[in-house]
Amino acid sequence: MLFLILSIICSVTVGVLFKVARSYNVSQVQIVAWNYVFALIFCYLSFSPDLSELRTLAPWGIYVPIGILLPAIFLFLAASIKQVGIVKTDAAQRLSLFIPILAAWLLFKEDFNILKITALLVGFPALLLILTKPSPNTENKWIYPAVVLLGFGIIDILFKQIALYTSLPYTTSLFVVFGIALLIMIVAVVYDVIVTKVPLNFKNIIFGGLVGIFNFGNILFYLKAHKAFAENPSTVFAGMNMGVIVIGSLVGIFVFKEKLTKMNYAGLFLALIAIILIVMSQII
């Protein structure tokens, strides 16, 4: 249970860091880039990935799309936290689990029971209620958490494809994906510095390092939690998704004083119900 709690804390802390970074003159692009530098270092030190067989065995057709999507969605995540807050962004990220579920149903013809169908029917109004804007000033800002939801959903589908590819260890694939993401962000930083004249700043390294540590910590403890609950993975799945929504909401409301309407609260409640139904559908 400790690993699961640590994974939840790391996940929420990433959002908190992006929220706090707004108070400083920092570059989100540089923060995301440094995040992958530190994530790569910790990934190599923790897993010692064997890269010798990449040339012949690596599924580059999956690696490259994930490597491009990850930093792009990370930037949208930061923008979403800035525009609509931690509460709605965390909820949108966790509700992205419905994208791979829909894909399993529509694309891979997976059998659906009544609980999964009910979860989908509950999840969609939950999303609409969570993203409901409390005032005219938030017009069109719903697009940020919507992209976060769609992006993380697609990334989840691609990571599941990597998990099914057993010729290479999952941790080696993770290291490669982080490497591709870093290359993409190096290009973005060069553009940022040369074209838009955003200076390199030590504060970006500090924030990027912290994001990288907690981003990798989230993955590391999540994997350890799955090993600890090997016979009951649904516990990890439910605990992670519900924990992030609940803790993220508490932090957003009480620490950062984010304003939510009654409809937003109703959406968060429905989101938790939808996740519980998904977990129950895996057990039965």
Side-chain angles (χ1 to χ4, degrees):
M1 187 60 69
L2 176 62
F3 292 135
L4 182 58
I5 293 171
L6 289 173
S7 182
I8 293 169
I9 291 173
C10 286
S11 180
V12 173
T13 302
V14 169
V16 171
L17 286 168
F18 278 121
K19 186 84 172 180
V20 171
R22 290 179 54 194
S23 304
Y24 299 84
N25 186 24
V26 296
S27 164
Q28 301 286 9
V29 172
Q30 291 181 34
I31 289 175
V32 173
W34 282 109
N35 148 71
Y36 286 118
V37 172
F38 283 84
L40 265 175
I41 293 171
F42 282 106
C43 187
Y44 187 82
L45 294 177
S46 299
F47 302 130
S48 300
D50 181 9
L51 307 179
S52 61
E53 296 182 320
L54 282 177
R55 182 175 298 179
T56 56
L57 296 177
W60 294 105
I62 304 176
Y63 286 166
V64 173
I66 299 180
I68 294 172
L69 272 175
L70 267 180
I73 298 304
F74 225 140
L75 290 172
F76 267 99
L77 180 75
S80 180
I81 290 169
K82 177 181 178 181
Q83 297 295 335
V84 302
I86 290 176
V87 178
K88 294 184 177 183
T89 301
D90 275 346
Q93 182 180 352
R94 292 301 148 186
L95 283 173
S96 67
L97 64 94
F98 287 106
I99 303 296
I101 289 172
L102 279 173
W105 187 17
L106 300 175
L107 299 180
F108 306 114
K109 308 303 180 183
E110 180 181 311
D111 291 334
F112 260 48
N113 56 33
I114 188 65
L115 287 174
K116 280 189 179 181
I117 295 173
T118 305
L120 290 173
L121 293 176
V122 173
F124 286 118
L127 181 62
L128 293 175
L129 289 170
I130 289 170
L131 298 184
T132 298
K133 53 182 183 293
S135 70
N137 293 331
T138 58
E139 186 178 0
N140 296 330
K141 292 183 179 179
W142 60 268
I143 192 67
Y144 294 98
V147 171
V148 168
L149 180 145
L150 182 62
F152 274 106
I154 295 172
I155 287 169
D156 193 28
I157 293 173
L158 293 173
F159 266 124
K160 279 181 170 57
Q161 295 301 306
I162 286 181
L164 295 174
Y165 187 82
T166 56
S167 297
L168 286 172
Y170 185 81
T171 50
T172 298
S173 296
L174 187 64
F175 181 83
V176 175
V177 168
F178 280 162
I180 295 172
L182 176 59
L183 290 176
I184 297 296
M185 289 312 302
I186 288 174
V187 174
V189 168
V190 170
Y191 177 88
D192 214 27
V193 172
I194 295 177
V195 178
T196 60
K197 307 299 181 183
V198 177
L200 293 171
N201 195 310
F202 186 70
K203 286 183 288 188
N204 296 323
I205 301 177
I206 298 297
F207 275 106
L210 289 172
V211 170
I213 290 169
F214 285 103
N215 185 27
F216 178 74
N218 173 32
I219 295 169
L220 177 65
F221 292 128
Y222 189 66
L223 291 175
K224 286 182 176 292
H226 268 295
K227 287 184 179 180
F229 290 94
E231 296 181 358
N232 193 10
S234 60
T235 300
V236 181
F237 181 82
M240 186 65 191
N241 286 283
M242 295 194 312
V244 169
I245 289 179
V246 171
I247 302 301
S249 297
L250 291 175
V251 170
I253 294 166
F254 292 107
V255 177
F256 295 106
K257 311 299 181 185
E258 294 179 3
K259 302 297 182 182
L260 298 181
T261 65
K262 291 181 179 179
M263 295 179 71
N264 297 149
Y265 283 113
L268 290 171
F269 178 71
L270 288 178
L272 291 175
I273 292 176
I275 291 171
I276 291 171
L277 289 171
I278 287 295
V279 174
M280 290 175 62
S281 73
Q282 303 296 322
I283 298 173
I284 297 176

